[in-house]
Amino acid sequence: AVDLLIVSLKAPHLEAGLAQAPARFLERGLVLPRLNGTGHLEILREHFGPRVAAGTIGLIEAFREDPVTIVHRSPGALIEMGADEAALADPISHCAKLFESAGLQAQVLQSEARVLWSKLSRLAPLAAITAASGMPLGVCRETQPWRDLLERAVGEAANLARLEGYAVQAEEILDRIHSLPAKLETSLARDVAAGR
């Protein structure tokens, strides 16, 4: 049995990954996914039961350059977590302290919607624009039509986030995007460029 299971697979590999983590090992532990998007919580809860929190990792750009080289361009990482289920408050708080003791930034947010959409409302426009343009973020921010498309995509993401329960303004998301490094590339852009 484990106290904490961190799920760090890409969504297409989630089903296969669950086969390697029998639910009996998580009878009392916490499941903390770090997947992007919103559809995975239901899948994880179906497999593990109610011990699943929402979790994301942000402010990080890391990728595999070749089979033995990981490139990590960001100065740190921020792990955000939270749950709507009150019974998970203590395990989540303990988990945040564990991450902080390892030197990571960790924040406990008030709702699952806030955890998921605080990242998704930023990442979805970033990934779409950098993948479609084939250019790093800084070039997209300064070049038309990409700048306008980025701003429109952020507006749409903010509207969706509000519909899902995360009150955010497009300007707030754009401020976060403008604070990111100019050379930032998304994993989606790298996957598209590599034909994946």
Side-chain angles (χ1 to χ4, degrees), residues 36-38 56 114-126 157 161 173 176:
N36 299 328
T38 60
T56 62
R114 185 171 179 85
V115 171
L116 298 175
W117 281 96
S118 68
K119 181 171 184 181
L120 186 55
S121 63
R122 178 181 67 250
L123 179 61
L126 273 177
I173 299 168
R176 281 188 260 154

Side-chain angles (χ1 to χ4, degrees), residues 6-96:
I6 300 172
V7 181
S8 297
L9 302 168
K10 292 284 189 179
H13 307 291
L14 182 57
E15 295 290 341
L18 290 177
Q20 299 178 37
R24 68 180 182 275
F25 295 132
L26 268 297
E27 291 175 359
R28 293 180 309 275
L30 177 68
V31 179
L32 185 68
R34 297 186 314 121
L35 285 82
N36 299 328
T38 60
H40 58 278
L41 290 181
E42 294 78 14
I43 296 168
L44 291 169
R45 287 186 178 130
E46 185 176 308
H47 185 78
F48 293 114
R51 305 290 302 172
V52 179
T56 62
I57 187 165
L59 307 179
I60 186 167
E61 182 185 9
F63 58 94
R64 183 184 305 272
E65 189 171 69
D66 58 53
V68 296
T69 306
I70 305 272
V71 176
H72 185 256
R73 291 185 179 162
S74 44
L78 170 64
I79 298 172
E80 294 180 324
M81 60 197 90
D84 295 340
E85 180 65 45
L88 296 181
D90 286 342
I92 290 171
S93 177
H94 177 73
C95 184

Side-chain angles (χ1 to χ4, degrees), residues 94-105:
H94 177 73
C95 184
K97 290 175 186 168
L98 185 67
F99 286 131
E100 289 170 349
S101 72
L104 298 170
Q105 294 180 66

